[in-house]
Amino acid sequence: MLELLIISTLNGVLYGMLLFLMASGLTLIFSMMGVLNFAHASFYMLGAFFGYQISKFTGFWVGLVAAPVVVGGIGALVERYGLRNVHRHGHVPELLFTFGLAYVIEEVVQMVWGKLPVDYRVPAALDFPAFTVFGTNYPAYKLFMLVISVAIFIALLVALTRTRVGLIIQAALTHPNMVAMLGHDVPKVFMLVFGVGTGLAAVAGVIAGPALVTQANMAGLLGPILFVVVVVGGLGSLTGAFVASLLIGLVQTFAISLDVSVATVFQAIGIDAAPSGGVLGDLWTVTIAQIGPIIPYLLLVLVLIARPTGLLGNREA
Protein backbone atom coordinates (compact mmCIF):
# COMPACT_ATOMS: atom_id res chain seq x y z
CA MET A 1 0.00 0.00 0.00
CA LEU A 2 2.83 2.41 0.83
CA GLU A 3 4.52 1.62 -2.49
CA LEU A 4 1.25 2.29 -4.34
CA LEU A 5 0.84 5.58 -2.48
CA ILE A 6 4.35 6.86 -3.21
CA ILE A 7 4.54 5.78 -6.86
CA SER A 8 1.01 6.98 -7.64
CA THR A 9 1.74 10.33 -5.98
CA LEU A 10 4.91 10.81 -8.05
CA ASN A 11 3.13 9.84 -11.26
CA GLY A 12 0.12 11.99 -10.41
CA VAL A 13 2.24 15.06 -9.73
CA LEU A 14 4.19 14.46 -12.94
CA TYR A 15 1.02 14.07 -15.02
CA GLY A 16 -0.48 17.12 -13.34
CA MET A 17 2.55 19.27 -14.13
CA LEU A 18 2.45 18.11 -17.76
CA LEU A 19 -1.18 19.24 -17.89
CA PHE A 20 -0.15 22.55 -16.34
CA LEU A 21 2.48 23.15 -19.03
CA MET A 22 -0.29 22.97 -21.61
CA ALA A 23 -2.96 24.72 -19.55
CA SER A 24 -0.67 27.63 -18.64
CA GLY A 25 -0.34 28.69 -22.27
CA LEU A 26 -4.09 28.37 -22.84
CA THR A 27 -4.75 30.34 -19.65
CA LEU A 28 -2.43 33.15 -20.76
CA ILE A 29 -4.17 33.34 -24.13
CA PHE A 30 -7.61 33.42 -22.57
CA SER A 31 -6.57 35.99 -19.97
CA MET A 32 -5.22 38.35 -22.60
CA MET A 33 -7.59 37.85 -25.50
CA GLY A 34 -10.68 36.06 -24.18
CA VAL A 35 -10.08 33.28 -26.74
CA LEU A 36 -10.54 29.60 -25.86
CA ASN A 37 -8.09 28.16 -28.37
CA PHE A 38 -9.41 24.76 -29.51
CA ALA A 39 -6.19 24.23 -31.48
CA HIS A 40 -3.98 24.56 -28.39
CA ALA A 41 -3.44 20.80 -28.04
CA SER A 42 -2.47 20.72 -31.71
CA PHE A 43 0.46 23.04 -30.96
CA TYR A 44 1.43 20.58 -28.22
CA MET A 45 1.46 17.86 -30.90
CA LEU A 46 3.51 20.07 -33.23
CA GLY A 47 6.05 20.57 -30.45
CA ALA A 48 6.45 16.80 -30.06
CA PHE A 49 6.89 16.18 -33.79
CA PHE A 50 9.20 19.14 -34.34
CA GLY A 51 11.23 18.07 -31.31
CA TYR A 52 11.48 14.55 -32.76
CA GLN A 53 12.51 15.81 -36.20
CA ILE A 54 15.10 18.27 -34.89
CA SER A 55 16.52 15.72 -32.45
CA LYS A 56 17.21 13.32 -35.34
CA PHE A 57 19.79 15.77 -36.71
CA THR A 58 21.02 17.81 -33.75
CA GLY A 59 20.05 15.89 -30.61
CA PHE A 60 17.33 16.17 -27.99
CA TRP A 61 18.65 19.28 -26.23
CA VAL A 62 18.68 21.44 -29.34
CA GLY A 63 15.16 20.23 -30.11
CA LEU A 64 14.03 21.15 -26.61
CA VAL A 65 14.94 24.79 -27.31
CA ALA A 66 14.35 25.05 -31.04
CA ALA A 67 10.97 23.30 -31.35
CA PRO A 68 9.09 25.62 -28.90
CA VAL A 69 10.64 28.65 -30.64
CA VAL A 70 9.45 27.42 -34.06
CA VAL A 71 5.98 26.50 -32.79
CA GLY A 72 5.72 29.79 -30.90
CA GLY A 73 6.60 31.62 -34.11
CA ILE A 74 3.88 29.71 -35.95
CA GLY A 75 1.43 30.60 -33.20
CA ALA A 76 2.33 34.29 -33.46
CA LEU A 77 1.76 34.20 -37.22
CA VAL A 78 -1.59 32.48 -36.72
CA GLU A 79 -2.65 35.27 -34.36
CA ARG A 80 -1.34 38.06 -36.60
CA TYR A 81 -2.72 36.92 -39.95
CA GLY A 82 -5.65 34.74 -38.90
CA LEU A 83 -7.09 35.15 -35.44
CA ARG A 84 -6.70 38.92 -35.35
CA ASN A 85 -8.90 39.31 -38.42
CA VAL A 86 -11.51 36.97 -36.94
CA HIS A 87 -11.40 38.54 -33.46
CA ARG A 88 -13.47 41.57 -34.43
CA HIS A 89 -16.42 39.35 -35.38
CA GLY A 90 -16.90 37.86 -31.91
CA HIS A 91 -16.27 34.64 -30.00
CA VAL A 92 -18.15 32.19 -32.23
CA PRO A 93 -15.98 32.87 -35.32
CA GLU A 94 -12.89 32.60 -33.08
CA LEU A 95 -13.95 29.19 -31.82
CA LEU A 96 -14.76 28.01 -35.35
CA PHE A 97 -11.42 29.29 -36.62
CA THR A 98 -9.39 27.48 -33.93
CA PHE A 99 -11.57 24.37 -34.30
CA GLY A 100 -10.83 24.24 -38.03
CA LEU A 101 -7.15 25.00 -37.41
CA ALA A 102 -6.89 21.94 -35.15
CA TYR A 103 -8.09 19.70 -37.98
CA VAL A 104 -5.73 21.35 -40.47
CA ILE A 105 -2.73 20.80 -38.19
CA GLU A 106 -3.68 17.15 -37.59
CA GLU A 107 -4.00 16.50 -41.32
CA VAL A 108 -0.66 18.18 -42.05
CA VAL A 109 1.03 16.07 -39.37
CA GLN A 110 -0.44 12.90 -40.86
CA MET A 111 0.74 13.92 -44.34
CA VAL A 112 4.31 14.60 -43.17
CA TRP A 113 4.89 11.95 -40.47
CA GLY A 114 2.09 9.46 -41.11
CA LYS A 115 -0.45 7.96 -38.72
CA LEU A 116 1.88 5.50 -37.00
CA PRO A 117 3.88 6.50 -33.88
CA VAL A 118 7.39 7.81 -34.48
CA ASP A 119 10.52 6.60 -32.68
CA TYR A 120 11.02 9.55 -30.32
CA ARG A 121 13.32 8.32 -27.57
CA VAL A 122 14.47 9.51 -24.18
CA PRO A 123 17.95 11.13 -24.43
CA ALA A 124 20.78 8.86 -23.37
CA ALA A 125 21.93 11.34 -20.70
CA LEU A 126 18.63 10.83 -18.82
CA ASP A 127 17.98 7.20 -19.62
CA PHE A 128 18.70 5.73 -16.19
CA PRO A 129 16.82 5.17 -12.91
CA ALA A 130 16.97 8.18 -10.60
CA PHE A 131 16.12 6.20 -7.47
CA THR A 132 14.46 2.98 -6.36
CA VAL A 133 11.30 2.80 -4.26
CA PHE A 134 10.28 -0.61 -2.91
CA GLY A 135 12.08 -2.32 -5.78
CA THR A 136 10.59 -0.04 -8.43
CA ASN A 137 13.02 2.07 -10.46
CA TYR A 138 11.83 5.63 -11.08
CA PRO A 139 13.24 7.04 -14.37
CA ALA A 140 15.44 10.12 -14.24
CA TYR A 141 13.64 11.48 -17.30
CA LYS A 142 10.38 11.74 -15.35
CA LEU A 143 12.14 13.78 -12.69
CA PHE A 144 13.52 15.99 -15.46
CA MET A 145 9.98 16.54 -16.76
CA LEU A 146 8.86 17.48 -13.25
CA VAL A 147 11.73 19.94 -12.72
CA ILE A 148 11.10 21.64 -16.08
CA SER A 149 7.38 22.01 -15.32
CA VAL A 150 7.95 23.51 -11.87
CA ALA A 151 10.64 25.85 -13.21
CA ILE A 152 8.30 27.15 -15.92
CA PHE A 153 5.51 27.74 -13.38
CA ILE A 154 7.86 29.77 -11.15
CA ALA A 155 9.22 31.69 -14.15
CA LEU A 156 5.73 32.56 -15.38
CA LEU A 157 4.62 33.65 -11.93
CA VAL A 158 7.67 35.87 -11.47
CA ALA A 159 7.43 37.28 -15.00
CA LEU A 160 3.76 38.22 -14.63
CA THR A 161 4.00 39.70 -11.14
CA ARG A 162 7.55 41.07 -10.79
CA THR A 163 8.64 42.35 -14.20
CA ARG A 164 7.75 45.37 -16.32
CA VAL A 165 6.61 43.14 -19.18
CA GLY A 166 4.30 41.30 -16.81
CA LEU A 167 2.81 44.56 -15.58
CA ILE A 168 2.15 45.66 -19.18
CA ILE A 169 0.50 42.32 -19.95
CA GLN A 170 -1.75 42.52 -16.89
CA ALA A 171 -2.63 46.13 -17.65
CA ALA A 172 -3.44 45.25 -21.26
CA LEU A 173 -5.79 42.59 -19.94
CA THR A 174 -8.01 45.04 -18.05
CA HIS A 175 -7.29 48.44 -19.67
CA PRO A 176 -6.04 47.90 -23.25
CA ASN A 177 -6.99 51.41 -24.40
CA MET A 178 -5.04 53.06 -21.58
CA VAL A 179 -2.00 50.86 -22.28
CA ALA A 180 -2.18 51.86 -25.94
CA MET A 181 -2.35 55.56 -25.00
CA LEU A 182 0.84 55.10 -22.96
CA GLY A 183 2.64 54.15 -26.16
CA HIS A 184 2.55 50.35 -26.03
CA ASP A 185 1.55 48.34 -29.09
CA VAL A 186 -1.31 46.28 -27.63
CA PRO A 187 -1.89 44.13 -30.76
CA LYS A 188 1.80 43.23 -30.74
CA VAL A 189 1.52 42.32 -27.05
CA PHE A 190 -1.41 40.05 -27.89
CA MET A 191 0.59 38.43 -30.70
CA LEU A 192 3.57 37.81 -28.42
CA VAL A 193 1.36 36.34 -25.68
CA PHE A 194 -0.30 34.01 -28.18
CA GLY A 195 3.14 32.96 -29.42
CA VAL A 196 4.41 32.36 -25.87
CA GLY A 197 1.26 30.40 -25.04
CA THR A 198 1.64 28.08 -28.02
CA GLY A 199 5.37 27.82 -27.28
CA LEU A 200 4.58 26.57 -23.77
CA ALA A 201 2.32 23.91 -25.27
CA ALA A 202 5.21 22.94 -27.55
CA VAL A 203 7.55 22.59 -24.53
CA ALA A 204 5.06 20.12 -23.07
CA GLY A 205 5.07 18.24 -26.35
CA VAL A 206 8.86 18.08 -26.60
CA ILE A 207 9.37 16.71 -23.09
CA ALA A 208 6.28 14.45 -23.13
CA GLY A 209 6.98 13.00 -26.58
CA PRO A 210 9.72 10.55 -25.51
CA ALA A 211 7.81 9.48 -22.38
CA LEU A 212 4.42 9.13 -24.06
CA VAL A 213 3.54 8.01 -27.58
CA THR A 214 4.25 10.61 -30.27
CA GLN A 215 1.57 10.07 -32.90
CA ALA A 216 -0.86 12.04 -35.04
CA ASN A 217 -3.82 11.68 -32.67
CA MET A 218 -2.02 12.75 -29.49
CA ALA A 219 -3.74 16.15 -29.56
CA GLY A 220 -7.14 14.51 -29.44
CA LEU A 221 -6.11 12.40 -26.45
CA LEU A 222 -5.11 15.34 -24.24
CA GLY A 223 -7.19 18.16 -25.74
CA PRO A 224 -10.46 17.50 -23.84
CA ILE A 225 -8.77 17.06 -20.45
CA LEU A 226 -6.93 20.32 -21.04
CA PHE A 227 -10.17 22.30 -21.10
CA VAL A 228 -11.30 20.48 -17.96
CA VAL A 229 -8.16 21.78 -16.21
CA VAL A 230 -8.71 25.36 -17.36
CA VAL A 231 -12.40 25.44 -16.39
CA VAL A 232 -11.93 23.70 -13.03
CA GLY A 233 -9.04 26.00 -12.09
CA GLY A 234 -10.92 29.11 -13.19
CA LEU A 235 -10.78 30.77 -16.59
CA GLY A 236 -7.89 33.19 -16.71
CA SER A 237 -6.27 32.10 -13.43
CA LEU A 238 -2.70 30.82 -13.74
CA THR A 239 -2.62 29.68 -10.11
CA GLY A 240 -6.00 28.03 -10.59
CA ALA A 241 -4.65 26.12 -13.60
CA PHE A 242 -1.71 24.95 -11.46
CA VAL A 243 -3.96 23.73 -8.63
CA ALA A 244 -6.45 22.09 -11.00
CA SER A 245 -3.66 20.36 -12.93
CA LEU A 246 -2.24 18.79 -9.79
CA LEU A 247 -5.70 17.87 -8.51
CA ILE A 248 -6.77 16.17 -11.74
CA GLY A 249 -3.37 14.51 -12.19
CA LEU A 250 -3.48 12.99 -8.70
CA VAL A 251 -7.17 12.01 -8.83
CA GLN A 252 -6.90 10.29 -12.21
CA THR A 253 -3.63 8.53 -11.39
CA PHE A 254 -4.91 7.14 -8.10
CA ALA A 255 -8.22 6.17 -9.70
CA ILE A 256 -6.51 4.18 -12.47
CA SER A 257 -4.32 2.37 -9.92
CA LEU A 258 -7.26 1.25 -7.75
CA ASP A 259 -8.76 -2.03 -8.90
CA VAL A 260 -11.61 -1.80 -6.40
CA SER A 261 -15.34 -2.18 -6.98
CA VAL A 262 -18.44 -1.97 -4.78
CA ALA A 263 -18.52 -5.76 -4.76
CA THR A 264 -14.97 -6.12 -3.41
CA VAL A 265 -15.65 -3.55 -0.67
CA PHE A 266 -18.74 -5.41 0.53
CA GLN A 267 -16.95 -8.75 0.31
CA ALA A 268 -14.10 -7.36 2.42
CA ILE A 269 -16.52 -6.61 5.25
CA GLY A 270 -18.28 -9.96 4.91
CA ILE A 271 -21.41 -8.92 3.04
CA ASP A 272 -22.48 -10.79 -0.08
CA ALA A 273 -25.48 -8.96 -1.51
CA ALA A 274 -24.67 -8.83 -5.20
CA PRO A 275 -27.55 -7.92 -7.56
CA SER A 276 -28.83 -10.72 -9.78
CA GLY A 277 -27.69 -9.06 -13.02
CA GLY A 278 -28.54 -6.33 -15.49
CA VAL A 279 -27.43 -2.74 -15.07
CA LEU A 280 -27.19 -2.98 -11.28
CA GLY A 281 -25.00 -6.05 -11.62
CA ASP A 282 -22.63 -4.21 -13.93
CA LEU A 283 -22.43 -1.22 -11.59
CA TRP A 284 -21.78 -3.59 -8.70
CA THR A 285 -18.67 -5.07 -10.32
CA VAL A 286 -17.24 -2.09 -12.24
CA THR A 287 -13.90 -0.95 -10.76
CA ILE A 288 -12.61 2.54 -10.03
CA ALA A 289 -9.84 1.94 -12.57
CA GLN A 290 -12.45 1.34 -15.28
CA ILE A 291 -14.21 4.64 -14.61
CA GLY A 292 -10.93 6.52 -14.02
CA PRO A 293 -10.93 8.32 -17.40
CA ILE A 294 -14.33 9.92 -16.74
CA ILE A 295 -13.62 11.07 -13.18
CA PRO A 296 -12.10 14.43 -14.26
CA TYR A 297 -15.27 15.20 -16.21
CA LEU A 298 -17.42 14.32 -13.19
CA LEU A 299 -15.21 16.68 -11.18
CA LEU A 300 -15.80 19.37 -13.82
CA VAL A 301 -19.58 19.00 -13.47
CA LEU A 302 -19.43 19.14 -9.67
CA VAL A 303 -17.17 22.22 -9.67
CA LEU A 304 -19.40 24.06 -12.14
CA ILE A 305 -22.46 23.28 -9.99
CA ALA A 306 -20.81 24.41 -6.75
CA ARG A 307 -18.65 27.24 -8.15
CA PRO A 308 -19.33 28.23 -11.79
CA THR A 309 -16.24 30.46 -11.93
CA GLY A 310 -13.90 27.58 -11.07
CA LEU A 311 -11.73 27.04 -8.00
CA LEU A 312 -9.73 30.28 -8.23
CA GLY A 313 -11.50 32.15 -11.03
CA ASN A 314 -13.56 35.29 -10.66
CA ARG A 315 -16.80 36.43 -12.24
CA GLU A 316 -15.08 39.02 -14.43
CA ALA A 317 -12.93 36.30 -16.03
Side-chain angles (χ1 to χ4, degrees):
M1 180 60 69
L2 184 59
E3 178 182 1
L4 175 66
L5 180 64
I6 294 176
I7 297 298
S8 296
T9 300
L10 287 173
N11 290 333
V13 170
L14 176 63
Y15 178 52
M17 292 308 299
L18 176 63
L19 290 177
F20 170 74
L21 268 183
M22 297 178 62
S24 60
L26 186 59
T27 299
L28 283 177
I29 292 170
F30 181 83
S31 297
M32 285 294 298
M33 306 170 64
V35 176
L36 274 177
N37 180 15
F38 274 105
H40 196 72
S42 299
F43 289 104
Y44 155 79
M45 178 174 64
L46 279 180
F49 276 97
F50 282 174
Y52 158 74
Q53 196 65 46
I54 295 172
S55 66
K56 287 180 62 177
F57 301 101
T58 59
F60 173 81
W61 303 107
V62 176
L64 178 60
V65 176
V69 172
V70 173
V71 175
I74 294 174
L77 293 175
V78 167
E79 194 284 330
R80 174 61 183 85
Y81 296 104
L83 196 57
R84 186 178 302 182
N85 297 325
V86 179
H87 186 69
R88 66 173 68 98
H89 300 294
H91 293 299
V92 174
E94 289 174 346
L95 293 178
L96 293 174
F97 174 82
T98 59
F99 190 74
L101 180 62
Y103 277 96
V104 170
I105 293 175
E106 182 174 348
E107 290 298 322
V108 170
V109 167
Q110 290 183 7
M111 291 171 60
V112 176
W113 287 282
K115 295 183 178 181
L116 297 178
V118 298
D119 188 21
Y120 193 10
R121 298 185 179 183
V122 172
L126 295 173
D127 192 12
F128 63 91
F131 54 84
T132 302
V133 180
F134 298 102
T136 301
N137 293 328
Y138 200 79
Y141 187 75
K142 288 189 174 182
L143 283 184
F144 167 74
M145 294 170 63
L146 182 61
V147 170
I148 290 292
S149 302
V150 173
I152 288 178
F153 170 67
I154 295 174
L156 281 176
L157 203 60
V158 172
L160 290 175
T161 59
R162 302 292 182 181
T163 66
R164 184 172 179 269
V165 174
L167 294 176
I168 293 173
I169 290 175
Q170 293 188 67
L173 168 65
T174 54
H175 301 88
N177 293 331
M178 185 176 294
V179 172
M181 292 177 64
L182 291 174
H184 299 288
D185 190 344
V186 174
K188 183 178 292 185
V189 173
F190 285 174
M191 182 182 69
L192 292 176
V193 169
F194 196 91
V196 170
T198 53
L200 287 173
V203 172
V206 175
I207 67 173
L212 306 178
V213 179
T214 302
Q215 56 188 3
N217 67 341
M218 62 190 300
L221 297 176
L222 277 183
I225 196 70
L226 176 62
F227 284 95
V228 173
V229 170
V230 174
V231 174
V232 169
L235 291 174
S237 172
L238 186 64
T239 306
F242 179 79
V243 173
S245 298
L246 287 179
L247 176 63
I248 291 174
L250 289 169
V251 167
Q252 192 164 13
T253 302
F254 272 99
I256 292 175
S257 64
L258 294 176
D259 191 22
V260 179
S261 65
V262 176
T264 57
V265 172
F266 274 81
Q267 289 173 2
I269 59 178
I271 299 176
D272 188 11
S276 58
V279 176
L280 291 179
D282 293 336
L283 293 176
W284 189 259
T285 57
V286 69
T287 64
I288 296 177
Q290 290 175 313
I291 65 172
I294 69 170
I295 288 180
Y297 302 97
L298 294 176
L299 178 63
L300 170 65
V301 173
L302 294 176
V303 168
L304 288 177
I305 292 174
R307 186 175 171 81
T309 57
L311 295 178
L312 296 177
N314 53 65
R315 192 164 298 277
E316 293 180 357

